Amino acid sequence: MSKIFYLHNRRLVGQHSQSFLLLSASSHAELYEQLAKTLYYMLVEKSSPVVIYQRLPTDELHLVYAFPFENMPEAHRRICSTAEFFSSPLNYHVLKDKYEVLGYVGHSPSTCTGVTREIEALIDIATHQWRLLNAQQMASSRQGEE
């Protein structure tokens, strides 16, 4: 008979619970909030907030969430293009669908190297949930048209 092993690493338990929070988000706003707060608390260096920009069909960027907002530099608020975003001092991760970039997540550049894999995993989970929420929105709007 095999034994069941439980996670004894509290950091992994926290990451798993945060993953479930991302997957349980019922709206894009809730997903943005959970992702930004989770990443912010994972970062070692908290010199700037975690920012989430949505990529519009016009290739412009729209700031959809920042945590903590009150610490956000004015330069981050004015970013409206990918060129400006990429030239900022932020580390970034791409929220990417199969065929298009959905958005970007930016955070302080100095993070612990061990956290990088956890951040990437959470970004992947958030991207998956973003796609599901988009599909739900499309399905409900089609039902409303019928």
Side-chain angles (χ1 to χ4, degrees):
M1 178 176 243
S2 64
K3 291 184 179 181
I4 298 173
F5 293 97
Y6 296 95
L7 295 172
H8 294 289
N9 184 333
R10 289 201 182 272
R11 194 175 86 193
L12 287 176
V13 171
Q15 182 185 359
H16 286 268
S17 62
Q18 291 303 322
S19 300
F20 288 121
L21 279 174
L22 292 176
L23 288 171
S24 67
S26 59
S27 69
H28 287 92
E30 188 178 338
L31 178 64
Y32 303 145
E33 179 182 3
Q34 289 295 336
L35 179 60
K37 287 180 177 180
T38 299
L39 294 178
Y40 184 78
Y41 290 118
M42 287 175 70
L43 298 172
V44 173
E45 178 62 41
K46 295 175 173 58
S47 60
S48 65
V50 173
V51 291
I52 301 174
Y53 294 93
Q54 184 174 6
R55 185 172 168 265
L56 303 175
T58 60
D59 286 337
E60 294 176 312
L61 297 182
H62 172 70
L63 179 67
V64 292
Y65 201 84
F67 181 80
F69 188 77
E70 57 275 356
N71 295 346
M72 189 164 151
E74 186 62 34
H76 294 353
R77 294 176 195 199
R78 287 183 276 145
I79 291 176
C80 61
S81 72
T82 53
E84 291 170 337
F85 182 68
F86 296 145
S87 66
S88 76
L90 298 171
N91 277 359
Y92 69 90
H93 301 275
V94 180
L95 295 165
K96 187 175 183 178
D97 198 354
K98 273 184 168 179
Y99 306 108
E100 66 180 330
V101 172
L102 303 169
Y104 298 95
V105 177
H107 58 80
S108 301
S110 55
T111 61
C112 178
T113 56
V115 176
T116 304
R117 292 181 75 195
E118 294 173 16
I119 290 173
E120 287 295 331
L122 288 173
I123 294 294
D124 287 344
I125 291 167
T127 301
H128 175 72
Q129 186 63 17
W130 190 327
R131 288 191 308 246
L132 287 175
L133 290 169
N134 284 347
Q136 287 173 347
Q137 278 183 341
M138 287 175 53
S140 64
S141 68
R142 285 184 184 157
Q143 285 178 348
E145 293 173 0
E146 295 175 357

